Amino acid sequence: MARRKLLLLLKPFDVFQITHSNAVAPFTNPRVFHHLDNRRKVHKDAINFCQKILQKKSVDWEPVFRNNLSQPIRNVDLVVTVGGDGTLLQASHLMDDSIPVLGVNSDPTQAEEVEEFGNEFDATRSAGYLCAATVKNFEQVLDSFLEGQTVPSELSRISVSINSEVQSTYALNDLLIAHPCPATVSRFSFKIKGDDQTCSPLVNCRSSGLRVSTAAGSTAAMLSAGGFAMPILSRDLQYMIREPISPGAAISGLMHGLIKSDQSMNAAWFSKEGLIYVDGSHVFYTIQNGDTIEISSKAPVLQVILPPHLSS
């Protein structure tokens, strides 16, 4: 039997590296400084720990920092991301539906730390919502996959086309379509179209933009904006018009709803310029007045080893 090949994708461990000489408020607070420096150390230790575990296994593996990865990921049996949800999301943009991914939350939030420092600063660390492992159970979760006991779940992603051209990056969490300046009104219209060619009424919007999320992303920005959490294996998408100021959108009852798996959202952009952000701010596409946008869940799924409470 051929040896398994793994790619270890790492978040850089110097993100929080701050020295007293370059610290500025609020980092002059020694407790804040210690917290951030400890986060860097904990993450670095997690990287070293995962590498030591892999050295004991009968697998071939290669470590790569996520900032150094720009080509599609191929010819591996598993991608292991060490960081948080952001690292897993970045990996997903370079993966098709043939390779599973396992997320290791390298720096989980500590409840007692949040309680102790909550009145001084934000002491939360990494949520790691999609990460099935931490250093405490990484070897156990990895062995379960290698022995065929753990089966990855298939998560929906969002496909977006601009002027009928399908874009190369699929969103695992969400899309945000808005004017580059957050203080500028976004003007667009949309309708929901079914595979049977039935359409919802056309909705004309003036707002701060449009957000569309997957089921996996429905507990992130969408939930914070007043949306609802969806079953993580749902193939539907959830959309919400952000801060609508157009009476028509409010009256229509279509400000917030679902794009079913057999439907798509067809939108037209009527502002001078705009951006489509994919899973945050790092990946985006530019749009301009008159462009048409089609959004659906008809994208390759992503195989993810999920935490037990999400996969059960």
Side-chain angles (χ1 to χ4, degrees):
M1 180 182 294
R3 286 167 63 95
R4 299 287 190 94
K5 297 180 181 179
L6 279 64
L7 177 69
L8 190 67
L9 192 65
L10 311 171
K11 183 178 91 169
F13 54 72
D14 58 353
V15 172
F16 301 108
Q17 193 164 17
I18 301 170
T19 64
H20 285 289
S21 61
N22 67 10
V24 295
F27 302 123
T28 50
N29 180 334
R31 286 153 74 93
V32 176
F33 177 88
H34 175 76
H35 170 76
L36 295 180
D37 192 57
N38 178 257
R39 291 199 61 182
R40 182 183 64 83
K41 180 180 183 302
V42 167
H43 174 63
K44 185 175 181 179
D45 289 346
I47 290 175
N48 292 334
F49 176 84
C50 291
Q51 290 178 324
K52 288 180 180 178
I53 295 296
L54 291 175
Q55 288 169 357
K56 300 192 304 181
K57 305 299 176 183
S58 296
V59 297
D60 296 322
W61 58 280
E62 176 187 4
V64 178
F65 283 107
R66 69 185 191 187
N67 295 348
N68 298 330
L69 191 66
S70 59
Q71 299 299 317
I73 298 172
R74 307 191 192 282
N75 302 318
V76 297
D77 299 298
L78 176 69
V79 173
V80 178
T81 63
V82 183
D85 286 330
T87 305
L88 194 151
L89 286 170
Q90 188 166 344
S92 76
H93 296 162
L94 298 169
M95 299 174 64
D96 60 19
D97 56 0
S98 66
I99 302 172
V101 57
L102 165 63
V104 179
N105 186 353
S106 62
D107 184 33
T109 292
Q110 303 171 24
E112 64 278 6
E113 190 177 53
V114 173
E115 182 177 357
E116 180 180 355
F117 300 125
N119 292 329
E120 295 182 55
F121 59 90
D122 181 5
T124 56
R125 295 180 179 236
S126 173
Y129 177 69
L130 296 175
C131 296
T134 64
V135 294
K136 294 180 179 180
N137 67 343
F138 171 60
E139 185 171 16
Q140 175 187 351
V141 175
L142 178 65
D143 286 346
S144 181
F145 170 78
L146 294 176
E147 295 166 5
Q149 298 173 1
T150 294
V151 178
S153 300
E154 296 184 344
L155 300 188
S156 290
R157 292 191 281 185
I158 305 174
S159 174
V160 58
S161 298
I162 301 174
N163 298 329
S164 300
E165 181 177 344
V166 179
Q167 304 304 300
S168 60
T169 301
Y170 305 113
L172 180 59
N173 258 10
D174 54 29
L175 298 176
L176 173 61
I177 306 175
H179 192 280
C181 174
T184 300
V185 173
S186 296
R187 299 172 184 265
F188 57 95
S189 64
F190 74 88
K191 56 186 176 182
I192 308 297
K193 184 178 180 181
D195 287 346
D196 59 1
Q197 303 304 309
T198 58
C199 289
S200 71
L202 181 69
V203 180
N204 296 306
C205 301
R206 289 186 297 138
S207 73
S208 61
L210 168 70
R211 189 182 301 279
V212 182
S213 83
T214 62
S218 65
T219 59
M222 181 64 76
L223 186 64
S224 297
F228 53 87
M230 302 165 64
I232 197 165
L233 299 183
S234 172
R235 294 288 188 258
D236 297 339
L237 305 178
Q238 185 177 168
Y239 74 89
M240 179 181 289
I241 300 171
R242 300 169 74 229
E243 303 166 334
I245 59 176
S246 169
I251 294 172
S252 73
L254 293 173
M255 289 187 299
H256 178 209
L258 292 176
I259 307 169
K260 307 294 285 185
S261 60
D262 61 348
Q263 296 176 325
S264 61
M265 172 181 279
N266 291 15
W269 184 255
F270 296 121
S271 292
K272 183 178 179 180
E273 54 187 330
L275 293 171
I276 302 177
Y277 294 100
V278 181
D279 288 335
S281 61
H282 296 293
V283 178
F284 57 87
Y285 300 110
T286 59
I287 51 177
Q288 58 187 358
N289 186 28
D291 282 348
T292 58
I293 306 161
E294 183 177 0
I295 298 167
S296 75
S297 60
K298 298 177 177 64
V301 298
L302 185 72
Q303 295 190 60
V304 182
I305 300 173
L306 291 175
H309 70 279
L310 292 180
S311 58
S312 58

